[in-house]
């Protein structure tokens, strides 16, 4: 099995790119197929990986909230690769299995108010490319402007990444399948 079933060209990895792949492996716990897919455009991959990994290693959002945003985006984009990787990360960040199952539902009843607002904001942003005035005010008062900007960029980033992963049919690494189905 290849890392992405729709990519037919062989991947040639120079030493510098193998080092970058090692960094991705370390940060994600073995999720390297996303990097292998990106490395079909090495220059873009080098620029992108620093940006993409920065949300995980240098982000200012609480890890649990970051994973709520990513998982809701993965669900909306129907991205099995993102879902599989971030279910594990969400559990490690403090989300419960029940919460992760509920992320797949449009019904936001039963969520704590702040979680429901965050999930609704992701839904609005992905549908309209713009938070409402009330959603922006709530996000920026909850986190401050810096983290509110990060939250919007995070959802947009994973929306963009889902487009690539879904389009190339990037495969989930064996043994890293999601213990909770995307639905």
């Amino acid at each position: 099995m290849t890392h992405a079933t729709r990519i037919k060209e062989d991947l040639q990895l120079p030493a510098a790119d193998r080092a970058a792949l090692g960094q991705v492996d370390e940060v994600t716990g073995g999720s390297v197929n996303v990097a292998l897919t990106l490395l079909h455009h090495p220059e873009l991959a080098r620029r992108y990986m620093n940006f993409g990994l920065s949300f995980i290693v240098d982000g200012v959002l609480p890890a649990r909230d970051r994973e709520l945003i990513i998982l809701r985006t993965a669900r909306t984009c129907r991205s099995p690769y993102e879902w599989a990787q971030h279910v594990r990360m969400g559990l490690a960040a403090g989300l419960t299995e029940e919460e992760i199952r509920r992320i797949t539902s449009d019904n936001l009843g039963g969520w704590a108010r702040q979680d429901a607002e965050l999930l609704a904001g992701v839904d609005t942003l992905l549908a309209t490319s713009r938070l409402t005035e009330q959603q922006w005010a709530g996000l920026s008062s909850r986190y401050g402007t810096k983290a509110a900007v990060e939250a919007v960029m995070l959802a947009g980033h994973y929306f963009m990444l889902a487009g690539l992963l879904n389009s190339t049919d990037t495969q989930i690494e064996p043994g890293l399948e999601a213990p909770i189905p995307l639905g």
Side-chain angles (χ1 to χ4, degrees):
M1 176 177 6
T2 67
H3 57 278
T5 61
R6 288 184 170 179
I7 295 176
K8 304 304 179 196
E9 299 168 7
D10 288 335
L11 181 60
Q12 305 299 319
L13 286 180
D17 293 332
R18 284 193 292 276
L21 191 59
Q23 180 188 14
V24 171
D25 183 35
E26 182 180 318
V27 170
T28 64
S31 303
V32 297
N33 284 352
V34 63
L36 291 171
T37 297
L38 285 162
L39 283 166
H40 283 274
H41 187 321
E43 300 82 10
L44 179 61
R46 286 185 208 104
R47 294 187 307 264
Y48 168 81
M49 281 192 225
N50 287 330
F51 175 73
L53 290 175
S54 72
F55 289 110
I56 307 300
V57 298
D58 297 323
V60 296
L61 288 169
R64 182 183 181 280
D65 294 355
R66 177 194 71 224
E67 295 305 319
L68 277 172
I69 293 168
I70 294 169
L71 285 166
R72 188 63 165 203
T73 303
R75 169 267 194 180
T76 300
C77 295
R78 308 297 305 159
S79 178
Y81 189 92
E82 285 180 351
W83 182 261
Q85 305 319 315
H86 287 277
V87 163
R88 293 180 303 113
M89 294 173 79
L91 290 168
L95 290 170
T96 67
E97 288 186 13
E98 178 56 31
E99 288 172 322
I100 292 172
R101 279 186 192 85
R102 287 187 6 234
I103 289 170
T104 65
S105 172
D106 289 333
N107 181 354
L108 296 178
W111 285 98
R113 182 185 55 79
Q114 289 187 325
D115 290 344
E117 289 172 356
L118 191 59
L119 294 169
V122 171
D123 293 346
T124 300
L125 184 62
L126 297 179
T128 68
S129 298
R130 180 185 178 101
L131 294 174
T132 66
E133 186 71 34
Q134 180 181 0
Q135 287 170 326
W136 177 259
L139 199 60
S140 58
S141 68
R142 177 177 178 182
Y143 297 118
T145 301
K146 182 177 182 178
V149 167
E150 183 175 301
V152 171
M153 292 293 293
L154 179 67
H157 165 259
Y158 277 89
F159 179 84
M160 175 184 69
L161 184 59
L164 174 65
L165 298 175
N166 289 345
S167 295
T168 60
D169 196 24
T170 298
Q171 299 296 294
I172 300 164
E173 292 83 352
L176 296 181
E177 297 85 0
I180 300 164
L182 177 56

